[in-house]
């Protein structure tokens, strides 16, 4: 029954898809667009445009060349001649993310994709539903709550330090630091976000299935594949509300990548449901000790579930929405709105890699941390006030944001997008604003904004932590960037900015303070690290398995 219905749906879908493609081609190649006047790179292909180059895993140079050559707003060619906007002009970003954020909403494909993969959490909702969920979660990301998490953070990082000390007690060892950063990030989010332990951080323990799923999921859904599936597959699939038939089609699609993504999504979904059920059982337990323990738990999901049970009916989240928040919280450790465990471990690994090849910076930072630790473990206020630690974190998140591109925004009606600085159009004239037609998809370049030389100076692309120890150029404050963090777009801005950016900063600083006070990091003597533009930037060893991110560094135990 399901099979015959699925094949019927496939036939209808095929007719619909062919008609849709013909209509799109006629519209794009026979009609002019206001975006045609914008500069942009020539299309590489009729079928895929510039997307494979822009989202290639090794596309750093192409991305950089497009930003430098075509400026703050440019036209990018998508699949089948689609005209896309690539933007990092600060005034344009303010309108897209803040002033007109409910017109420039995240694309249908992005929302549908996240709902399919993660459930109905913050990443998969719009409008009032999104605002309701965000309001429910705001209190658990307050500074007071962050202060209360410090003992838990130290308990996890102390386990990490103990294990690593045992590995290098007899002398320097080459260790895959990325693996330990990923395991630690997941355990920190599991403990503080969900009251659940994924990893005891013992060396011979295999990674939790969720951790392995997250890493593979990031690789499989990234790059041009991720872009095209967001643009075409998910917007098309959402038009047909037959979940059992769609599941049947997915299960019988003879493409290994699709089957792998399905398997990984099921693991993440089942893990989240297991955690929710554990929490529900504890809340409803007849054992007063268990119920009392649940009431006292400070992890994000416990607080969310208690708040949800006490909320007015109109504000209460459904069980499916609560499930979505679990998946979101696992990713909440920062960045733009998607994949928190991977983004935070990427940022911490990037910092340690940079410190290994900049030993003077590493020594200076270690001295600052050790001086502050003379009176014992650092409190929340001490951690956030260490100037050089803060400078190293800010500069790394500026020059090397874990995610290069923000989620695509779609103009829901014709709009005029103003610019803070004119761009030269293809007709040679200056443009101070851009006419954005209804339905235009806009790619926001985080890297372009964070390294804009008009704002940050001629050394904008250079990693210089010292720039944060003196007043920043006036051009930085004058730009009025809409980002919620240090004039940067790493965590975005507006109503869909990353809700957990303070959590991520605290996590990074606790781990770095623990490790740098105990170990010295040096580059591998046998392997060269190459960072790739996966969904979340990741380190790979040149010449080894290109599908497995890793970052071997030489670690030495200090006196």
């Amino acid at each position: 029954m399901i099979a015959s219905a699925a094949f019927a749906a496939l036939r209808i879908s095929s007719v619909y898809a062919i008609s849709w493609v013909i209509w799109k081609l006629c519209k794009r190649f026979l009609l002019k667009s206001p975006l045609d006047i914008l500069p942009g790179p020539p299309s590489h292909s009729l079928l895929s445009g510039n997307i494979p180059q822009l989202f290639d895993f090794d596309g750093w140079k192409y991305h950089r060349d497009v930003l430098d050559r075509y400026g703050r707003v440019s036209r990018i060619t998508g699949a089948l001649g689609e005209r896309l906007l690539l933007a990092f002009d600060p005034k344009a970003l303010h309108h897209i993310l803040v002033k007109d954020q409910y017109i420039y909403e995240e694309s249908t494909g992005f929302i549908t994709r996240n709902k399919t993969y993660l459930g109905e959490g913050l990443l998969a909702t719009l409008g009032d539903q999104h605002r309701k969920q965000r309001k429910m979660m705001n209190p658990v990301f307050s500074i007071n709550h962050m202060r209360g998490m410090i003992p838990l953070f130290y308990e996890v990082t102390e386990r990490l330090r103990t294990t690593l000390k045992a590995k290098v007690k007899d002398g320097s060892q080459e260790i895959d630091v990325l693996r330990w950063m990923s395991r630690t990030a997941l355990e920190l989010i599991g403990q503080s976000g969900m009251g659940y332990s994924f990893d005891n951080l013992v060396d011979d323990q295999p990674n939790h299935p969720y951790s392995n799923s997250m890493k593979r999921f990031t690789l499989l859904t990234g790059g041009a594949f991720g872009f095209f599936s967001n643009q075409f597959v998910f917007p098309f699939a959402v038009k047909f509300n037959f979940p059992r038939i769609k599941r049947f089609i997915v299960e019988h699609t003879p493409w290994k990548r699709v089957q792998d993504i399905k398997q990984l999504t099921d693991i993440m979904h089942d893990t989240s449901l297991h955690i929710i059920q554990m929490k529900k059982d504890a809340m409803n337990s007849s054992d007063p000790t268990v119920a009392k323990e649940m009431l006292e738990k400070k992890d994000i999901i416990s607080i969310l579930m208690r708040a949800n049970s006490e909320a007015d009916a109109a504000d209460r989240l459904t069980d499916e929405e609560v499930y979505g928040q679990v998946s979101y919280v696992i990713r909440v450790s920062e960045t733009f709105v998607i994949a928190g465990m991977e983004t935070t471990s990427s940022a911490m690994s990037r910092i340690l890699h940079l410190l290994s090849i900049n030993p003077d910076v590493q020594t200076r930072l270690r001295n600052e941390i050790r001086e502050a630790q003379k009176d014992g473990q650092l409190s929340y206020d001490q951690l956030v006030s260490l100037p050089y630690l803060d400078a190293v974190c800010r500069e790394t998140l500026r020059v090397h944001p874990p995610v290069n591109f923000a989620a695509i925004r779609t103009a829901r009606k014709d709009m005029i997008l103003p610019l803070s600085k004119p761009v030269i159009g293809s007709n040679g004239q200056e443009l101070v604003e851009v006419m954005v037609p209804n339905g235009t998809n806009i790619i926001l370049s985080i890297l372009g904004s964070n390294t804009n030389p008009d704002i940050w100076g001629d050394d904008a692309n250079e990693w210089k932590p010292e720039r944060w120890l003196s007043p920043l150029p006036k051009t930085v404050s004058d730009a009025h960037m809409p980002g919620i963090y240090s004039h940067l777009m790493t965590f975005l801005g507006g109503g869909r900015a990353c809700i957990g950016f303070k959590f991520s900063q605290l996590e990074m600083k606790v781990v770095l303070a623990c490790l740098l006070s105990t170990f010295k990091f040096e580059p591998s003597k046998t392997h060269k690290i190459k960072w790739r533009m996966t969904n979340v930037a990741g380190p790979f060893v040149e010449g080894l398995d290109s599908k497995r991110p890793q970052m071997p560094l030489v670690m030495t135990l200090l006196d």
Side-chain angles (χ1 to χ4, degrees):
M1 178 70 178
I2 293 178
S4 59
F7 289 124
L10 276 174
R11 287 194 295 270
I12 296 172
S13 300
S14 299
V15 173
Y16 180 90
I18 293 171
S19 302
W20 180 82
V21 169
I22 293 173
W23 176 78
K24 286 283 186 181
L25 289 173
C26 291
K27 181 179 179 181
R28 289 171 183 172
F29 290 102
L30 298 180
L31 301 177
K32 288 187 175 296
S33 166
L35 300 180
D36 292 339
I37 198 172
L38 289 173
S43 175
H44 281 253
S45 162
L46 172 64
L47 289 177
S48 58
N50 306 114
I51 300 306
Q53 292 73 37
L54 193 65
F55 287 87
D56 187 84
F57 285 168
D58 296 312
W60 300 106
K61 185 178 184 303
Y62 185 85
H63 185 184
R64 186 79 261 169
D65 288 347
V66 169
L67 299 177
D68 294 342
R69 181 171 182 180
Y70 300 105
R72 299 177 171 205
V73 180
S74 58
R75 173 181 41 78
I76 299 293
T77 305
L80 303 177
E82 179 186 10
R83 299 165 180 91
L84 305 167
L85 208 58
L86 177 65
F88 63 93
D89 178 90
K91 192 171 186 179
L93 292 178
H94 174 76
H95 278 253
I96 293 169
L97 295 173
V98 181
K99 186 175 184 296
D100 299 317
Q101 61 181 293
Y102 300 116
I103 296 173
Y104 296 104
E105 291 186 324
E106 279 166 324
S107 68
T108 301
F110 177 83
I111 295 297
T112 308
R113 166 193 186 272
N114 289 333
K115 188 175 295 187
T116 301
Y117 290 155
L118 310 175
E120 296 194 22
L122 276 173
L123 303 180
T125 54
L126 295 170
D128 290 338
Q129 187 183 14
H130 180 269
R131 287 190 289 274
K132 180 179 72 171
Q133 292 186 11
R134 194 175 181 100
K135 178 182 176 182
M136 184 73 73
M137 295 194 72
N138 275 332
V140 299
F141 293 105
S142 66
I143 291 177
N144 284 338
H145 189 70
M146 294 297 107
R147 286 194 178 98
M149 286 185 175
I150 283 288
L152 191 151
F153 275 46
Y154 277 125
E155 187 277 324
V156 173
T157 52
E158 188 56 41
R159 279 191 269 145
L160 170 68
R161 175 159 54 185
T162 300
T163 298
L164 293 179
K165 284 174 70 174
K167 291 177 71 66
V168 299
K169 65 179 181 179
D170 297 325
S172 301
Q173 295 289 331
E174 187 170 282
I175 294 173
D176 182 4
V177 172
L178 176 67
R179 177 171 180 257
W180 289 101
M181 292 302 95
S182 297
R183 291 176 64 177
T184 303
L186 181 59
E187 179 65 359
L188 282 167
I189 297 172
Q191 291 280 3
S192 59
M194 306 161 67
Y196 184 87
S197 179
F198 287 97
D199 194 332
N200 62 16
L201 298 176
V202 173
D203 184 40
D204 59 357
Q205 174 182 304
N207 288 354
H208 191 282
Y210 198 105
S211 177
N212 292 330
S213 299
M214 282 289 298
K215 292 173 186 175
R216 293 196 61 217
F217 180 81
T218 299
L219 288 173
L220 289 172
T221 59
F225 171 84
F227 180 86
F228 287 130
S229 62
N230 286 359
Q231 291 296 96
F232 298 105
V233 177
F234 288 104
F236 179 74
V238 77
K239 297 178 183 296
F240 301 93
N241 189 26
F242 305 104
R244 294 179 65 190
I245 293 176
K246 287 192 284 190
R247 176 75 184 195
F248 177 88
I249 293 172
V250 169
E251 288 179 343
H252 291 81
T253 298
W255 187 4
K256 185 176 185 303
R257 189 169 196 159
V258 172
Q259 296 307 312
D260 286 347
I261 292 173
K262 176 186 74 69
Q263 180 184 20
L264 299 178
T265 303
D266 287 345
I267 290 173
M268 293 189 289
H269 180 84
D270 292 344
T271 302
S272 296
L273 289 180
H274 170 66
I275 293 169
I276 286 179
Q277 192 58 52
M278 287 176 58
K279 297 287 186 184
K280 279 186 174 181
D281 292 345
M283 288 181 69
N284 299 324
S285 175
S286 58
D287 185 337
T289 304
V290 174
K292 182 175 183 294
E293 182 182 353
M294 180 63 184
L295 290 173
E296 294 174 349
K297 280 185 174 291
K298 294 183 178 181
D299 63 273
I300 294 170
I301 292 299
S302 295
I303 293 173
L304 173 67
M305 293 181 72
R306 289 200 301 267
N308 192 53
S309 66
E310 297 167 0
D312 294 336
D315 295 328
R316 194 170 299 156
L317 306 182
T318 65
D319 286 350
E320 186 62 20
E321 287 178 310
V322 173
Y323 154 71
Q325 300 319 313
V326 173
S327 292
Y328 174 76
V329 168
I330 294 176
R331 297 160 175 73
V332 83
S333 187
E334 271 5 286
T335 92
F336 92 141
V337 193
I338 240 183
M341 182 196 89
E342 291 296 298
T343 55
T344 302
S345 61
S346 170
M348 291 190 295
S349 298
R350 177 80 78 163
I351 290 174
L352 291 173
H353 185 219
L354 290 167
L355 293 177
S356 75
I357 58 181
N358 293 276
D360 293 343
V361 177
Q362 183 179 167
T363 299
R364 180 176 176 179
L365 180 54
R366 178 179 296 109
N367 291 340
E368 178 186 74
I369 292 169
R370 283 186 161 185
E371 179 65 27
Q373 288 175 336
K374 283 183 176 179
D375 296 326
Q377 286 184 343
L378 301 178
S379 66
Y380 173 89
D381 294 314
Q382 287 175 306
L383 274 168
V384 299
S385 63
L386 290 179
Y388 204 54
L389 176 60
D390 192 61
V392 168
C393 291
R394 288 176 191 260
E395 184 69 350
T396 304
L397 291 171
R398 184 187 72 84
V399 183
H400 302 291
V403 183
N404 272 4
F405 300 105
I408 295 173
R409 298 302 197 266
T410 302
R412 303 299 180 179
K413 67 178 184 179
D414 292 344
M415 293 293 290
I416 300 295
L417 187 64
L419 307 176
S420 61
K421 180 182 178 180
V423 298
I424 304 300
S426 56
N427 59 2
Q429 297 181 357
E430 287 190 344
L431 303 175
V432 296
E433 59 187 23
V434 178
M435 171 62 188
V436 182
N438 181 21
T440 298
N441 289 312
I442 306 170
I443 304 172
L444 308 181
S445 175
I446 295 174
L447 181 65
S449 177
N450 286 359
T451 58
N452 185 345
D454 292 336
I455 296 174
W456 294 95
D458 294 336
D459 62 353
N461 292 315
E462 299 178 35
W463 185 73
K464 293 182 175 180
E466 290 74 15
R467 77 172 74 238
W468 296 93
L469 301 179
S470 56
L472 295 172
K474 190 172 183 296
T475 50
V476 175
S477 57
D478 288 347
H480 301 294
M481 295 300 303
I484 58 171
Y485 173 72
S486 298
H487 309 285
L488 305 178
M489 294 309 302
T490 306
F491 301 114
L492 294 185
R496 298 191 74 90
C498 182
I499 193 173
F501 78 101
K502 291 187 178 70
F503 182 98
S504 177
Q505 291 177 73
L506 180 61
E507 180 181 346
M508 289 168 59
K509 290 180 178 180
V510 170
V511 172
L512 292 171
C514 172
L515 295 182
L516 291 171
S517 63
T518 311
F519 306 99
K520 178 182 178 182
F521 294 86
E522 297 174 284
S524 168
K525 295 178 174 59
T526 56
H527 299 112
K528 184 177 180 181
I529 304 301
K530 180 179 183 180
W531 286 78
R532 306 187 74 188
M533 281 177 52
T534 48
N535 246 7
V536 178
F540 293 77
V541 173
E542 287 192 354
L544 295 184
D545 185 359
S546 62
K547 296 182 179 180
R548 185 171 77 86
Q550 52 188 309
M551 193 183 75
L553 295 179
V554 175
M555 292 182 61
T556 304
L557 183 63
L558 299 172
D559 296 331

